[in-house]
Amino acid sequence: MFSIRSGVFRSLNSGVPRNALRRGFHNSSVSNAVSKLLMPALSPTMTEGTITSWKKNEGDKLEAGDIILEIETDKAQMEIEAQDDGVLAKIIVPNGTKGVAVNSLIALLAEEGDDISSIEVPADATPASTPAPEQPAVQSEAPASTPATASADRDNYLSPAVAHLVRNNKIDDINKVPATGPKGRILKGDVLGYLGLIKSAPAPKAESKASAATSNAPQTPAPSSSAEYEDIPVTTMRRIIASRLSESKSTVPHSYVAREIVVDEINKLRRTLKENNQISVSVNDFIVRATSLALRDVPELNVRYNPAKEAGESIDSVDISIAVATPTGLITPIVKNADQRGLTDISKTVKELAAKARAGKLMPNEYQGGSFSISNLGMFGIGQFSAIINPPQACIMAVGGTKIEVIEDESFITPSEVAAVEPVAEPDVFDYLSGESKFSYNTPVNGNLKTRQVMTVNLSIDDRVVDAAIAGDFLNKFKFYMENPINMIL
């Protein structure tokens, strides 16, 4: 038997709210009650979604675990599956329907063995409307304007100077004044000419020679627009992202604080872990770890803004949102309690969350919330950029790629310090070209110069709850951990 209850369906990623299925109505020709399947609210911010596709057809039997349909929300694509057996009696909202409001009716469900042919759609159901065929426009001749209307229309074209002349000279019918201005407009000279104070200007010709020549010229057909571009539908996720980022940029007072970070020690430690311990961790894993420790040291930055209270809220846990690009848009899965995780744990968690995000399999609790966001475009060759805050979070850090920088080598020994040391001949450029001496970025340039790898991070802060001084303190802590990575694994 098909048990009608509020929890018949659930998402693979999360449980569908209890009110997603409700007991509906009785049909006189059906043995049992028919239930309504409503559009579920799969996240706190979801107000509408898109029915991407129904995986079952009307009349198909349902078994526990069967995927019924796929819904695209403002965060991800979610699959809805059955927990009990039954029948998909009637699909109300078809495939590809966008903007389906939460709690609106999308399907009817019945028990196995019921006569679904007799099931009727409830009167309050609002199936997706299809665009009506375009009707040919019927043009009707506009009635000729009356003199009063024409007079009123021409009055609207009078400039202040012309209106002053008309009033002072008590011209009752403005239509008697011949107009020579553009679009039948009465000029000051027209009024003066009508009063006989100056010679009237000749009326403009209906068509100039230039316009006549243009009209006689052969017209070339306009190029077909269908061959010039292709329409790309905007996904629900991208539309919601655009809306929220526009709202954030216009309502959240953004400020920006930047810092350069030397990553030479991190690269050395990565090579050591790889060669000696067969442990592979990325620079991004170090960034997440350093961020979490810096947030623990500077808890004033681990906050969010509550618009209802018009106040900031301190967050106890350090939960780092990592921006991940997916085919349908950007999503930010969360590394929870990142300050309590080691590098290998962070690396494993980030890889798992990124894979689930790209496959659209994230659970809502894996991307909702977070206390701080990181957006890293360094792997795309981006030097530096600014990111938009994702409310209610108060901060997001934009991470750019590394660049090679030449600096003075402070450890270089001056000539006076090596006076007693036997001089050694430096190889010249021909030695490098012949291969007798090898050049590398670690080789001092001009004796007292060396190279280093530097990346730039740009922190966006919400000025309502975070000021620049706190942001600077955080970036200094972050820089310390990044340039002394041994402190992150102790």
Side-chain angles (χ1 to χ4, degrees):
M1 294 293 292
F2 185 67
S3 176
I4 303 298
R5 62 190 188 192
S6 61
V8 174
F9 287 83
R10 67 177 177 86
S11 169
L12 285 176
N13 300 330
S14 68
V16 172
R18 288 284 182 181
N19 63 351
L21 276 177
R22 295 176 179 172
R23 186 172 297 276
F25 59 92
H26 283 78
N27 187 292
S28 58
S29 60
V30 184
S31 60
N32 295 308
V34 174
S35 290
K36 298 179 180 180
L37 176 59
L38 307 181
M39 185 68 167
L42 300 175
S43 71
T45 58
M46 179 180 172
T47 58
E48 61 181 36
T50 298
I51 304 294
T52 307
S53 63
W54 287 93
K55 303 301 182 183
K56 295 289 185 179
N57 298 318
E58 291 184 0
D60 286 355
K61 294 182 179 180
L62 307 177
E63 296 182 356
D66 286 350
I67 297 175
I68 309 303
L69 75 157
E70 189 175 79
I71 297 174
E72 182 183 344
T73 71
D74 56 339
K75 295 290 186 182
Q77 289 200 357
M78 318 284 277
E79 292 177 334
I80 307 299
E81 66 175 21
Q83 284 188 327
D84 293 311
D85 299 343
V87 176
L88 179 58
K90 185 71 175 179
I91 294 176
I92 307 298
V93 181
N95 289 341
T97 305
K98 299 180 180 180
V100 182
V102 169
N103 290 329
S104 60
L105 181 63
I106 60 175
L108 297 176
L109 310 172
E111 294 186 12
E112 188 174 354
D114 286 347
D115 182 11
I116 63 174
S117 63
S118 303
I119 294 178
E120 298 178 356
V121 178
D124 60 347
T126 55
S129 59
T130 56
E134 295 183 0
Q135 299 294 335
V138 179
Q139 296 182 353
S140 60
E141 295 184 1
S145 59
T146 62
T149 304
S151 177
D153 292 340
R154 296 187 70 180
D155 285 344
N156 294 332
Y157 285 101
L158 298 182
S159 67
V162 174
H164 179 73
L165 280 174
V166 171
R167 285 195 302 269
N168 288 350
N169 292 279
K170 299 180 180 180
I171 301 176
D172 297 328
D173 189 359
I174 195 65
N175 291 310
K176 295 180 179 180
V177 180
T180 62
K183 298 182 179 180
R185 191 168 186 175
I186 298 176
L187 304 179
K188 184 177 180 180
D190 298 334
V191 178
L192 296 176
Y194 174 76
L195 296 173
L197 300 178
I198 64 172
K199 185 178 180 181
S200 300
K205 294 182 179 179
E207 186 180 69
S208 63
K209 293 182 179 180
S211 60
T214 303
S215 61
N216 294 331
Q219 300 294 324
T220 57
S224 174
S225 59
S226 60
E228 297 177 359
Y229 65 88
E230 178 183 355
D231 289 332
I232 301 176
V234 178
T235 64
T236 301
M237 183 186 295
R238 291 189 185 276
R239 181 162 50 85
I240 297 297
I241 288 173
S243 174
R244 289 187 180 161
L245 291 185
S246 298
E247 181 182 0
S248 172
K249 193 64 176 176
S250 60
T251 61
V252 176
H254 284 61
S255 287
Y256 307 95
V257 184
R259 199 78 161 89
E260 287 191 341
I261 311 295
V262 180
V263 295
D264 289 342
E265 294 301 320
I266 283 181
N267 289 332
K268 291 179 183 178
L269 183 56
R270 290 178 61 211
R271 287 194 295 268
T272 301
L273 292 173
K274 178 69 174 178
E275 295 171 359
N276 298 341
N277 305 93
Q278 289 74 50
I279 297 176
S280 297
V281 288
S282 67
V283 174
N284 194 65
D285 299 330
F286 279 96
I287 292 172
V288 175
R289 175 65 174 160
T291 300
S292 66
L293 295 178
L295 286 172
R296 188 178 64 183
D297 293 344
V298 188
E300 297 86 353
L301 203 80
N302 196 44
V303 295
R304 61 173 171 249
Y305 181 75
N306 188 329
K309 299 178 181 178
E310 294 187 350
E313 295 177 342
S314 179
I315 306 173
D316 295 331
S317 60
V318 177
D319 303 327
I320 309 296
S321 301
I322 310 296
V324 176
T326 71
T328 56
L330 201 67
I331 192 168
T332 52
I334 302 169
V335 180
K336 297 187 176 181
N337 299 313
D339 59 321
Q340 302 174 19
R341 298 173 181 262
L343 277 170
T344 54
D345 188 7
I346 289 176
S347 178
K348 178 182 177 182
T349 302
V350 170
K351 290 177 182 177
E352 291 176 352
L353 290 173
K356 294 177 70 175
R358 295 186 180 98
K361 303 297 183 183
L362 281 176
M363 292 186 283
N365 65 323
E366 291 177 316
Y367 59 76
Q368 292 174 7
S371 60
F372 187 96
S373 290
I374 297 175
S375 180
N376 189 350
L377 293 180
M379 66 284 294
F380 299 105
I382 304 301
Q384 59 178 315
F385 66 103
S386 298
I388 300 175
I389 298 171
N390 183 25
Q393 294 182 10
C395 300
I396 182 171
M397 186 167 66
V399 181
T402 58
K403 62 181 179 180
I404 295 175
E405 191 176 80
V406 179
I407 61 170
E408 183 179 0
D409 186 1
E410 297 178 355
S411 63
F412 178 72
I413 303 175
T414 62
S416 60
E417 294 173 325
V418 295
V421 180
E422 182 179 354
V424 179
E426 291 288 337
D428 57 21
V429 67
F430 297 104
D431 295 322
Y432 292 121
L433 294 176
S434 64
E436 296 180 5
S437 297
K438 295 182 178 179
F439 178 82
S440 70
Y441 284 114
N442 294 323
T443 303
V445 183
N446 293 334
N448 64 337
L449 299 178
K450 66 176 182 179
T451 60
R452 64 179 185 179
Q453 288 187 304
V454 178
M455 74 176 185
T456 301
V457 296
N458 197 342
L459 180 65
S460 304
I461 60 175
D462 184 345
D463 269 331
R464 294 174 296 186
V465 288
V466 178
D467 58 36
I470 295 175
D473 190 14
F474 166 80
L475 287 181
N476 287 336
K477 293 288 186 180
F478 176 76
K479 178 181 176 68
F480 168 78
Y481 285 115
M482 289 293 290
E483 296 185 354
N484 301 276
I486 193 66
N487 292 279
M488 287 192 272
I489 61 176
L490 293 178

